[in-house]
Amino acid sequence: MDIRRQVSLKKYNTFGVDVGAAYFAEVASTDELQKALQFAERNGLRLLVLGAGSNVLFTRDFDGLVIRLNLKGIETSFADDAVLVTAAAGENWHSFVQDCIDQDYGGLENLSLIPGHVGTAPIQNIGAYGVEIKDVFETCQVFDTETRGIRDFKKDECEFGYRDSVFKRNKGRYIILQVTFRLTVKDHKISSHYGAIEAELQKRNITAPTLRDIADVVIAIRQSKLPDPAVTGNAGSFFKNPVIPMEAFERLKHRHPEIPGYSDGTQVKVPAGWLIEQCGWRGKTIDNVGSHALQSLVLINATGKAAGQEIYDFSQLIIDSVQQEFGIGLEREVNVI
């Protein structure tokens, strides 16, 4: 493991923001990770652990040590009617999901084509098209930077919520080393009730979808409306969908009868993309930054030359306009550095 100085992070974040790290190390084992952490401690350096850089916005150079986790490996074991699949933190998420589908392991197919690495998936409790990580999560192994020890987290200890977890609320403390998922090997529970999936299945005349069918449909939907980070810098959904009390939603409904919402009986999740679009931001560009023309929830590095602060300032304009129009405060989903 080499610890390098003054390294550009442009290729290590999907926004393509050109910032630098004072120190940078790629680690491929827990031993290398511990050595890197010891280096940071000896030199009094701030620490940042990166996966694929798909959920981060750098607004300035990082004056500490950036560690890029490159832990690899996948193991399986069978338990009752399920298979336990353990993947190291540095495995590419989409490739891992597709490998599981190829083995006819069910549960992850709706999460196809989400950018990132396996190790970052539990942090955000990533979700898409009616499925979240918590639905298939078994355990994860982490390195605790406070105790300098390795421990396992069971599902209930992760305190999963909507785009939330104990790992997100304790930034920097827990470094996820590997994640174990409980997947089905027969009697798969196909989740196709999400509107866009149902519509695409009907278009393809598929009435009894397989795991691969669902994955292919999800991939097609995402590709049709989300920009490829390799082509246009972005971090996927920039904002969380706000969740508001039912009473507040009913009041908004009087002013905006067409407002969509998904209720659990007491609270309502309102699509952030719809709110942003109503405020006129869809497809709008200011200098180097824009809101994607097909999905206003996605902010893009439109010219490839945007600074992180530009993107942040653009997002603040959106937040302010949604607050003014709807009285709803949008929350950034990306990790702002």
Side-chain angles (χ1 to χ4, degrees), residues 76-207:
T76 60
S77 63
F78 292 88
D80 300 324
D81 292 335
V83 58
L84 300 179
V85 186
T86 301
E91 292 287 344
N92 176 275
W93 175 257
H94 177 65
S95 296
F96 169 65
V97 171
Q98 300 314 297
D99 286 345
C100 288
I101 294 168
D102 288 342
Q103 298 295 322
D104 200 33
Y105 300 157
L108 297 173
E109 54 280 354
N110 292 55
L111 304 179
S112 295
L113 209 63
I114 294 178
H117 287 175
V118 167
T120 53
I123 298 174
Q124 291 285 119
N125 182 27
I126 62 172
Y129 304 107
V131 175
E132 293 179 315
I133 279 295
K134 67 178 179 62
D135 300 326
V136 290
F137 181 91
E138 181 74 5
T139 62
C140 69
Q141 185 185 83
V142 310
F143 184 87
D144 187 334
T145 60
E146 288 190 9
T147 66
R148 287 292 194 265
I150 294 175
R151 61 166 290 192
D152 291 329
F153 272 82
K154 296 179 181 178
K155 181 176 178 177
D156 59 348
E157 295 175 302
C158 297
E159 301 173 14
F160 288 126
Y162 172 60
R163 301 297 183 268
D164 194 25
S165 71
V166 69
F167 312 115
K168 184 176 180 180
R169 294 194 297 274
N170 291 272
K171 288 183 179 178
R173 176 171 179 179
Y174 302 114
I175 301 173
I176 296 177
L177 305 176
Q178 62 182 35
V179 186
T180 300
F181 303 92
R182 179 177 287 270
L183 306 178
T184 58
V185 290
K186 59 181 180 179
D187 299 326
H188 300 308
K189 299 175 178 63
I190 300 293
S191 180
S192 61
H193 60 276
Y194 197 90
I197 292 180
E198 287 184 338
E200 186 65 24
L201 287 172
Q202 288 177 6
K203 187 190 303 183
R204 299 182 181 205
N205 295 315
I206 298 173
T207 56

Side-chain angles (χ1 to χ4, degrees), residues 3 5 272 296 299 334:
I3 296 179
R5 298 196 62 177
S296 56
L299 303 191
V334 299

Side-chain angles (χ1 to χ4, degrees), residues 218-233:
V218 167
I219 291 168
I221 294 170
R222 293 183 69 88
Q223 287 178 332
S224 71
K225 66 179 183 177
L226 299 175
D228 182 351
V231 178
T232 304

Side-chain angles (χ1 to χ4, degrees), residues 14-34:
T14 58
F15 261 121
V17 172
D18 193 6
V19 295
Y23 296 89
F24 180 87
E26 288 201 57
V27 302
S29 68
T30 53
D31 182 58
E32 289 184 351
L33 173 62
Q34 289 177 313

Side-chain angles (χ1 to χ4, degrees), residues 3 23-25 36 39-40 45-48 62-67:
I3 296 179
Y23 296 89
F24 180 87
F39 174 85
L45 298 174
R46 291 199 304 145
L47 191 67
L48 176 66
F62 189 77
D63 60 359
L65 171 64
V66 172
I67 296 176

